[in-house]
Amino acid sequence: MSFQPALQAPAATPISQPLARAPHPLRPIMKLLSYIKQWKSAARETIARASIAAQFLSLIHITDAYICSTTLVQGPSMLPTLNYSGDVVLIEHLSHRLGKLEPGDIVVVRSPVDPKKIVAKRIVGMEGDRVTYLTEPSYSESSRTVLVPKGHVWIQGDNVYASADSRYFGAVPYGLIQGRAFLRIGI
Amino acid sequence: MWSIIREAFDKTLLVAKAYGILHITNSYLCTVALAYGPSMIPTINLTGDLILAERISPRIGKVGVGDIVIVRSPVVPRRVVTKRVVGMEGDQVTYLLDPHNSDEVHSIVVVPRGHVWIQGDNIYNSKDSRDFGPVPYALVEAKLLWRSFVRGASIPVCKFACDWSSGMCGRLKILVQCNTYQDRRGK
């Protein structure tokens, strides 16, 4: 067995350059995880603040929709009670749910002709009442008497000469009433 | 002692917040209801079906002919009824005046502006627009999204309705007019 000289030593790697390592296969994911860790605390605080804001907004909304709210009412149909160019009115939403509305109350009602519009008028007759009204107040004295059907109310504006109310679109179902105006804050 | 009061206050606040979130979801997003009665047979069972109804579509005006909607009754304001929309504003609606006695008597109605015409699927035993006229659109509260597969959830109150209606059911010819509407069977 002849002694074979050692194979030529491999070329010495220069000491200053470290061996190149293969890139870790999961490196982008690990980067993402580290970013997420950094932002986790910020996200937690954001969620906490957002939930406080959401609770506050829902409290305001529940008060506004079910207890008391304010509206700007304008137009000529409730002169002289309400101003033509606008009045801020406080509306309470409890009476109509408890069934405590009476003739003479000013109510805020969703219009049966245009579902997006809300009008303020006065209740003249509840269900079962007989209501007499002037059909053409500007021109003649002729009047008509009508029986308010079950589940409906008859609303009229205080200014009968310029008011589109139940004389025009008939008795309004009680379910369309949104609230009762109880305080006027005149501008 | 103050710690007890404070704990009671905190728990009450937690319950109030949970209720507030539930209520807002129920009133503005989607609501679960039990619909029972003979007026929507065979779509909705006599003894009750659990239904999921969403409240966003009526607000953005996406209610159309063929939709089953939940509507506040114009005759009894505290009651909420489930019927199908047969005509929107401006549509001409044809319906049978007296389905028990004759097939020939029709009546054509043009639905006024801002109103919808609703009818139950079971026209032989349904109080709908054929009785109380077109309903203002603002009374439409929710649109049906889904009906449970488990039919006929019976609760004690429904038993009374079932006994009362079983006399009527014997005389029913269920003539389903579903070829003109989409049949919204639970998804």
Side-chain angles (χ1 to χ4, degrees):
Chain A
M1 190 186 329
S2 60
F3 178 71
Q4 303 243 339
L7 286 169
Q8 195 169 8
T13 45
I15 300 171
S16 56
Q17 196 184 2
L19 280 171
R21 282 153 65 180
H24 198 286
L26 291 176
R27 199 170 174 121
I29 298 180
M30 287 170 66
K31 252 190 174 171
L32 193 66
L33 284 175
S34 75
Y35 279 140
I36 290 179
K37 264 199 208 98
Q38 280 172 0
W39 288 104
K40 207 173 179 172
S41 63
R44 200 177 294 142
E45 197 185 328
T46 313
I47 289 180
R49 298 241 170 120
S51 83
I52 292 180
Q55 286 165 19
F56 181 65
L57 282 178
S58 64
L59 178 69
I60 293 222
H61 170 80
I62 285 183
T63 310
D64 186 67
Y66 296 101
I67 302 176
C68 180
S69 69
T70 63
T71 317
L72 182 70
V73 179
Q74 58 191 16
S77 63
M78 286 295 287
L79 286 167
T81 315
L82 296 176
N83 219 344
Y84 173 75
S85 52
D87 264 337
V88 173
V89 167
L90 280 180
I91 299 171
E92 53 101 350
H93 301 274
L94 297 167
S95 299
H96 77 103
R97 287 176 201 278
L98 302 171
K100 293 219 181 307
L101 288 178
E102 289 168 351
D105 289 339
I106 300 180
V107 288
V108 158
V109 150
R110 215 166 257 286
S111 166
V113 177
D114 183 1
K116 298 200 201 308
K117 203 159 56 138
I118 298 189
V119 298
K121 301 274 183 260
R122 204 182 280 272
I123 292 183
V124 171
M126 304 293 291
E127 64 182 9
D129 290 349
R130 294 207 119 80
V131 171
T132 308
Y133 63 94
L134 297 167
T135 42
E136 302 229 330
S138 312
Y139 307 119
S140 71
E141 300 279 342
S142 66
S143 65
R144 192 180 301 160
T145 306
V146 86
L147 178 68
V148 181
K150 187 154 124 52
H152 289 65
V153 294
W154 190 270
I155 57 173
Q156 267 179 223
D158 282 352
N159 180 14
V160 286
Y161 299 96
S163 162
D165 46 31
S166 285
R167 299 171 299 143
Y168 164 63
F169 45 66
V172 163
Y174 190 93
L176 286 179
I177 296 178
Q178 307 288 305
R180 182 178 74 99
F182 66 98
L183 194 65
R184 176 181 71 127
I185 307 170
I187 302 180
Chain B
M1 196 203 81
W2 283 115
S3 67
I4 297 180
I5 293 181
R6 157 168 288 209
E7 196 183 329
F9 180 70
D10 282 345
K11 289 268 179 329
T12 313
L13 209 60
L14 197 66
V15 168
K17 283 186 222 175
Y19 178 73
I21 291 175
L22 209 65
H23 174 81
I24 286 186
T25 310
N26 191 36
S27 306
Y28 296 99
L29 286 178
C30 89
T31 172
V32 176
L34 182 76
Y36 63 94
S39 64
M40 287 290 288
I41 291 175
T43 314
I44 294 178
N45 210 351
L46 173 71
T47 47
D49 262 341
L50 215 59
I51 57 180
L52 201 69
E54 49 103 356
R55 295 198 188 252
I56 305 177
S57 297
R59 280 177 198 272
I60 57 178
K62 290 232 178 301
V63 172
V65 174
D67 293 339
I68 305 180
V69 289
I70 294 182
V71 157
R72 191 158 286 280
S73 166
V75 179
V76 180
R78 288 194 196 281
R79 192 185 296 163
V80 162
V81 297
T82 312
K83 302 274 184 261
R84 204 183 280 270
V85 173
V86 170
M88 301 294 293
E89 62 182 12
D91 288 350
Q92 281 187 320
V93 171
T94 312
Y95 62 95
L96 296 165
L97 279 176
D98 196 4
H100 278 289
N101 296 334
S102 71
D103 270 334
E104 300 305 321
V105 185
H106 288 245
S107 192
I108 300 179
V109 155
V110 174
V111 182
R113 189 160 63 102
H115 288 66
V116 293
W117 188 271
I118 57 173
Q119 269 180 221
D121 282 351
N122 179 17
I123 55 172
Y124 296 92
N125 194 4
S126 161
K127 281 204 189 23
D128 45 36
S129 283
R130 298 172 297 147
D131 299 304
F132 45 69
V135 164
Y137 183 87
L139 287 180
V140 172
E141 303 211 331
K143 185 167 100 161
L144 220 72
L145 195 63
W146 177 87
R147 188 206 66 203
S148 77
F149 278 112
V150 180
R151 312 292 309 275
S154 61
I155 56 177
V157 111
C158 290
K159 190 123 189 356
F160 164 73
C162 187
D163 293 344
W164 172 79
S165 313
S166 61
M168 303 285 292
C169 285
R171 281 177 278 159
L172 284 181
K173 283 183 302 187
I174 298 177
L175 201 71
V176 178
Q177 296 170 338
C178 282
N179 54 349
T180 45
Y181 327 136
Q182 301 163 35
D183 190 15
R184 302 248 175 155
R185 301 202 176 270
K187 268 204 283 197

